[in-house]
Amino acid sequence: MLEVLHRIVQEVNAAPDLGEALRLIVQRVRLAIKTDVCSVYLTDFDRREHVLLATEGLRQEAVGKVRLPMHRGLVGLVCERAEPVNLDDATGHPRYLFIHSTGETEYRGFLGVPIIQNRKVLGVLVVRQVESRKFGDDEVTFLFTLAAQLAGAITHARASGELTQLQPTRSPLNRYLSGQPSAPGVATGSAVVAYQLADLDAVPDRTTSNAPAEVAAFREAVALTRQELQLLKVRLSTELPVEEQALFDALLLMLESDTLVSQTVERIEQGQWAQSALRSTIETHARVFDNMDDIYLRERASDIRDLGRRVLTHLQMDKPREITYPKKTILVGDDISAVQLAEVPAERLAGIVSAKGSSSSHVAILARAMGVPAVMGVTDLPVGRLEGLDIIIDGYRGRVYVSPDPSVSDEYSRLAREDSEISRELEAMKGLKAETTDGVVLPLHLNTGLISDVMTVGLEESEGVGLHRTELLYIVRDRFPGEEVQFESYQQLLAAFAPRPVILRTLDIGGDKPLPYFPFAESNPFLGWRGVRISLDHPEIFMTQIRAMMRANIGLNNLRIMLPMISKVSEVDELQMLIRRAHDELLEEGRGVVMPPIGVMIEVPAAVYQIGEIARRVDFLSVGTNDLTQYLLAVDRNNPRVAAIFDDMHPAVLQALVQIVEGAALYRRPVSVCGELAGNPLAAVLLLGMGVDSISMSAGSLLKIRWVIRSYSRARAKSLLQAALRMTDARQVRELMEKSLDEMGLGGLIRPGK
Ligand code: PEP
Ligand code: MG
């Protein structure tokens, strides 16, 4: 049975369209289960009916015509229960429905299993037998497996319009493919499928007897790839802020890194041919990043593999095809890389859709910097069938419409008009203060540390850096960065913002963000060796960082130091002692350092309950709502399966925040919020109501949040907070705030994904 199942799954996967996939399934299943009839029904939610889509055993003319009322018959029962119904004699069941048009005789044996995708029943797969027959467990699971396969094919077909004839009344606005909203905005254009690079996985293991020739070919391929990247970098230089161009430098650095080239050459010299030597090196490097929980870091594995494919393409002497890009190009592909994006002339690039990747992918970062809407991780994207088709992408909600109806196009033209109005409003916010209508100023700070953060707007429009994540400096190297390297990096940042304050956070590396050169495995990394726990166990690493920070501050005097992941009061005491020691040592060395203000992040529930004791010891507090939410709600912040439960507007999180603000007030310590919550327009009003002293966010949120703060009075924010605190779940809080922002004329800012 298993073998038959594998074969059917393969055939279904290879089927050119849904119709063929369905025909195959009903034929093969009838044979495999040795039964009289196999049929597939699809649920038409608009007409509240189940439509017969394919059958083997009933009349073929009935296909597409027979429609069963949604809540009648046994098919309806399977759909309602979302569970299999297995009856040895269906004719005696109260829900049994006899239908003439299918050419039915009385079938007794009945087994129906639901076809489910993302909790939703899409249809029912049915087998029937003239005689009484109770189907066995393995037959039920056999159908289950095929139904799961079918669910994917149906979702594809729905999105690509293949099902339109069968569902004429279905609203076109409901027919789209879903992915991750990765760069905001709406775009319309024609699909161009990105050129597929050579496939590293397909490279066979081979040996060579002419290593020097293979080495030469490999070096030549690396050189050609380098030229190609440099060319693209130059081409994009007018489109991107300097910081974003650093992406290409990073790729070039990776390409030229000693390890990548020398390890491949070494493998060739040991007898492998260049192609498999390259594959092995790339895989070894990519795997280090594959195992990281942090989405941003995991994305680096794609960069490395993309580089590998580029070099391989040159090794195989394959020439990328010449593409004529239409005026409004929507670049689609299985796994679009930053480099593929750069190949499209910027003035023709309207949008990006990728089956793989996420909003942390380089390509998504670039798209945001260029203001090009993007949807990543569209798992059901039928890439091969999209070339030349009209596409609309909704980068706010992560939707992709293929060959959209005119009504969809009209709706999106309206959204695009609204968008340009909002952009004008945001532009008008530049240079203003985040001041409420009753005169309260809420300083807006910038989060930095990821490549994408320091955009010009961030530098010009923020009142300092509220959180600088120092991890990147450690991650992009092959060993711990020394004091000098760190000193230079921190000094650059402090100087760029001086005299505005800059909060440098000490290393928050841990089980979820392991360093390639400092590996350790844990079964529960988020509850493991992380943040200051590592700093305390390795004071030498911590002291090096503190020394670099203090030296960078000489002559600038705008440094603040912040400690992450504090869960015990004694950790604060011990770390402060180390900081004082570093300070004294530097003074003894004759360096003119000063003791900067020291603060801690409140992101572990234990710290919330000991807020007074902690506040008393430090100069400032900053709430990391990302971790605080994951620990309060017991939801892994990086696990897509529970992403819907991760909600930082949960009333429990709001209560914790209130408790923090009240605890800090007892000792008159300022409180900031630097998690994602601070950049959310709905939540910023509540934070204002709580009386936090500042908030810190990524550059893209600054002007939006300024607009929100300037629209409210502190008094109104307070009363909204009181209402929110009385609510029982996050959905109600969101609804309350959405309604309020809508009333204030800020509805455009809260479109999903904004
Ligand atoms: C947080 O946890 O909210 C935070 C700002 O820190 P990070 O996201 O770096 O863990
Ligand atoms: Mg954190």
Side-chain angles (χ1 to χ4, degrees):
M1 199 81 149
L2 194 65
E3 212 179 287
V4 180
L5 184 64
H6 276 170
R7 218 180 35 244
I8 302 182
V9 167
Q10 269 170 3
E11 283 180 325
V12 170
N13 271 340
D17 55 37
L18 179 67
E20 189 54 31
L22 290 173
R23 270 188 294 281
L24 270 166
I25 283 201
V26 291
Q27 272 171 17
R28 302 290 191 264
V29 169
R30 190 165 85 136
L31 281 175
I33 296 197
K34 298 189 183 59
T35 185
D36 298 317
V37 175
C38 177
S39 315
V40 176
Y41 292 85
L42 183 79
T43 308
D44 180 340
F45 293 94
D46 294 334
R47 286 172 62 164
R48 307 181 60 73
E49 288 170 337
H50 305 287
V51 194
L52 179 70
L53 266 200
T55 184
E56 191 67 19
L58 301 179
R59 256 193 223 141
Q60 288 308 314
E61 306 85 79
V63 170
K65 299 207 179 67
V66 166
R67 291 174 164 268
L68 312 175
M70 190 135 165
H71 292 294
R72 290 191 57 206
L74 291 168
V75 168
L77 185 66
V78 176
C79 182
E80 283 160 35
R81 286 194 187 160
E83 275 178 22
V85 172
N86 189 359
L87 302 168
D88 53 356
D89 186 0
T91 56
H93 195 281
R95 292 283 291 257
Y96 178 74
L97 204 64
F98 185 77
I99 300 164
H100 295 279
S101 48
T102 54
E104 286 196 19
T105 50
E106 289 227 316
Y107 292 101
R108 290 177 189 277
F110 175 98
L111 167 61
V113 300
I115 302 168
I116 301 181
Q117 177 99 326
N118 293 339
R119 298 187 186 190
K120 193 168 177 186
V121 181
L122 303 179
V124 181
L125 178 59
V126 179
V127 288
R128 311 185 63 181
Q129 182 94 13
V130 174
E131 313 85 55
S132 284
R133 171 173 175 185
K134 180 91 171 178
F135 291 90
D137 260 4
D138 54 345
E139 287 163 333
V140 176
T141 50
F142 180 82
L143 285 202
F144 254 6
T145 316
L146 289 174
Q149 201 68 26
L150 256 185
I154 290 173
T155 311
H156 260 183
R158 229 176 217 160
S160 63
E162 199 186 328
L163 283 180
T164 326
Q165 303 103 320
L166 289 168
Q167 294 173 292
T169 60
R170 194 171 169 73
S171 156
L173 269 170
N174 289 339
R175 221 173 38 232
Y176 52 81
L177 290 158
S178 292
Q180 262 193 33
S182 302
V186 164
T188 311
S190 313
V192 172
V193 176
Y195 174 75
Q196 290 302 306
L197 291 167
D199 183 2
L200 267 178
D201 294 331
V203 168
D205 281 328
R206 260 185 221 158
T207 52
T208 176
S209 52
N210 189 354
E214 288 292 304
V215 170
F218 169 67
R219 288 195 191 279
E220 170 73 9
V222 170
L224 287 170
T225 310
R226 185 184 309 130
Q227 272 174 20
E228 193 177 272
L229 289 174
Q230 268 159 346
L231 216 73
L232 292 173
K233 185 185 156 197
V234 172
R235 195 202 276 181
L236 272 193
S237 59
T238 50
E239 303 303 320
L240 288 175
V242 180
E243 299 79 20
E244 307 299 341
Q245 292 168 39
L247 278 181
F248 285 86
D249 294 328
L251 286 173
L252 280 162
L253 261 178
M254 249 192 255
L255 181 67
E256 285 158 12
S257 80
D258 217 27
T259 32
L260 214 141
V261 175
S262 65
Q263 282 180 12
T264 309
V265 169
E266 214 171 281
R267 286 191 164 96
I268 299 175
E269 281 164 352
Q270 283 162 3
Q272 282 192 55
W273 71 319
Q275 297 194 18
S276 63
L278 172 71
R279 188 199 63 210
S280 310
T281 310
I282 294 291
E283 260 324 290
T284 319
H285 283 263
R287 247 181 244 137
V288 174
F289 288 94
D290 273 342
N291 295 331
M292 298 193 175
D293 278 352
D294 186 288
I295 304 172
Y296 178 80
L297 297 180
R298 235 177 13 236
E299 288 298 336
R300 305 293 71 79
S302 318
D303 294 338
I304 296 172
R305 292 202 173 90
D306 185 63
L307 265 187
R309 284 195 291 268
R310 281 183 182 273
V311 178
L312 182 65
T313 307
H314 287 296
L315 261 180
Q316 295 179 343
M317 286 185 279
D318 197 1
K319 282 249 176 312
R321 76 186 151 122
E322 281 293 322
I323 300 177
T324 0
Y325 293 99
K327 262 206 189 104
K328 287 183 166 184
T329 295
I330 306 277
L331 187 65
V332 299
D334 183 49
D335 190 5
I336 294 187
S337 69
V339 183
Q340 281 173 321
L341 176 153
E343 281 165 348
V344 186
E347 69 284 0
R348 293 184 175 247
L349 183 65
I352 297 155
V353 186
S354 179
K356 297 206 179 105
S358 70
S359 57
S360 316
S361 304
H362 269 166
V363 68
I365 294 172
L366 282 179
R368 288 196 288 273
M370 294 168 77
V372 173
V375 182
M376 307 288 292
V378 188
T379 39
D380 295 316
L381 194 68
V383 175
R385 285 188 261 146
L386 295 179
E387 184 75 35
L389 296 185
D390 287 341
I391 296 218
I392 292 179
I393 73 173
D394 178 341
Y396 299 116
R397 284 180 282 203
R399 293 181 180 178
V400 179
Y401 294 83
V402 180
S403 305
D405 268 43
S407 58
V408 179
S409 306
D410 290 350
E411 173 66 12
Y412 274 94
S413 308
R414 190 182 62 75
L415 283 180
R417 274 197 306 278
E418 248 181 56
D419 262 9
S420 51
E421 272 162 38
I422 290 174
S423 302
R424 272 199 300 281
E425 298 269 9
L426 289 178
E427 210 44 38
M429 287 294 135
K430 285 191 171 166
L432 299 177
K433 269 200 161 65
E435 184 174 1
T436 61
T437 53
D438 48 359
V440 178
V441 176
L442 181 65
L444 305 187
H445 292 163
L446 182 67
N447 288 353
T448 59
L450 296 181
I451 298 175
S452 62
D453 298 337
V454 192
M455 301 199 301
T456 336
V457 62
L459 190 60
E460 286 169 1
E461 299 297 330
S462 70
E463 303 201 33
V465 173
L467 164 67
H468 176 71
R469 295 177 165 103
T470 55
E471 289 77 63
L472 205 65
L473 203 60
Y474 289 70
I475 286 161
V476 296
R477 297 197 149 57
D478 56 3
R479 69 199 72 172
F480 282 104
E483 191 176 311
E484 281 313 304
V485 171
Q486 295 193 52
F487 162 75
E488 276 168 29
S489 157
Y490 303 149
Q491 197 190 39
Q492 237 179 24
L493 186 70
L494 291 175
F497 282 87
R500 290 169 287 175
V502 172
I503 300 182
L504 299 184
R505 181 176 74 181
T506 62
L507 187 60
D508 185 15
I509 208 84
D512 71 317
K513 288 181 236 164
L515 299 174
Y517 48 89
F518 190 54
F520 51 90
E522 294 176 311
S523 51
N524 250 326
F526 274 122
L527 304 181
W529 206 36
R530 205 195 141 177
V532 292
R533 298 172 184 177
I534 296 185
S535 301
L536 283 166
D537 290 348
H538 280 280
E540 76 288 6
I541 299 174
F542 183 73
M543 294 283 278
T544 307
Q545 187 172 34
I546 299 294
R547 285 176 55 94
M549 288 177 177
M550 286 193 186
R551 282 182 47 208
N553 191 33
I554 297 175
L556 292 168
N557 223 1
N558 57 341
L559 166 72
R560 315 262 185 278
I561 295 180
M562 182 156 73
L563 308 166
M565 280 293 293
I566 294 292
S567 62
K568 287 204 295 186
V569 175
S570 63
E571 289 169 340
V572 182
D573 293 335
E574 287 170 41
L575 290 163
Q576 277 181 326
M577 232 162 62
L578 290 175
I579 295 174
R580 269 194 300 273
R581 214 171 80 200
H583 171 255
D584 295 349
E585 274 174 22
L586 286 164
L587 280 184
E588 275 167 30
E589 289 168 24
R591 304 189 193 257
V593 294
V594 292
M595 207 37 200
I598 311 290
V600 297
M601 289 197 71
I602 304 298
E603 46 186 350
V604 177
V608 179
Y609 292 107
Q610 292 194 295
I611 194 67
E613 277 306 313
I614 293 176
R616 197 159 70 80
R617 288 168 160 77
V618 296
D619 300 305
F620 64 92
L621 301 165
S622 187
V623 190
T625 47
N626 309 337
D627 276 316
L628 188 58
T629 304
Q630 87 162 339
Y631 294 128
L632 275 176
L633 307 186
V635 193
D636 180 342
R637 58 192 263 191
N638 292 331
N639 180 347
R641 233 178 271 166
V642 286
I645 315 174
F646 183 97
D647 197 327
D648 51 10
M649 290 185 76
H650 192 296
V653 179
L654 301 181
Q655 297 280 3
L657 278 157
V658 170
Q659 204 168 326
I660 295 167
V661 174
E662 286 172 356
L666 293 178
Y667 296 92
R668 297 180 195 278
R669 299 293 190 264
V671 176
S672 168
V673 175
C674 62
E676 290 301 304
L677 189 75
N680 175 352
L682 298 176
V685 182
L686 297 174
L687 297 176
L688 172 71
M690 284 175 202
V692 302
D693 299 277
S694 60
I695 49 181
S696 191
M697 64 208 70
S698 52
S701 300
L702 282 169
L703 297 178
K704 291 176 198 159
I705 300 296
R706 186 173 294 165
W707 189 12
V708 172
I709 301 294
R710 290 179 63 85
S711 309
Y712 277 84
S713 67
R714 172 73 165 273
R716 191 174 166 86
K718 272 188 179 164
S719 77
L720 280 164
L721 174 68
Q722 288 319 315
L725 289 173
R726 283 193 296 272
M727 297 185 154
T728 45
D729 67 45
R731 190 182 45 81
Q732 294 168 323
V733 178
R734 282 179 188 282
E735 279 170 10
L736 170 79
M737 295 313 299
E738 277 166 12
K739 189 160 164 278
S740 171
L741 262 70
D742 244 340
E743 284 167 6
M744 303 303 275
L746 300 167
L749 288 182
I750 50 170
R751 216 176 284 147
K754 271 214 152 181

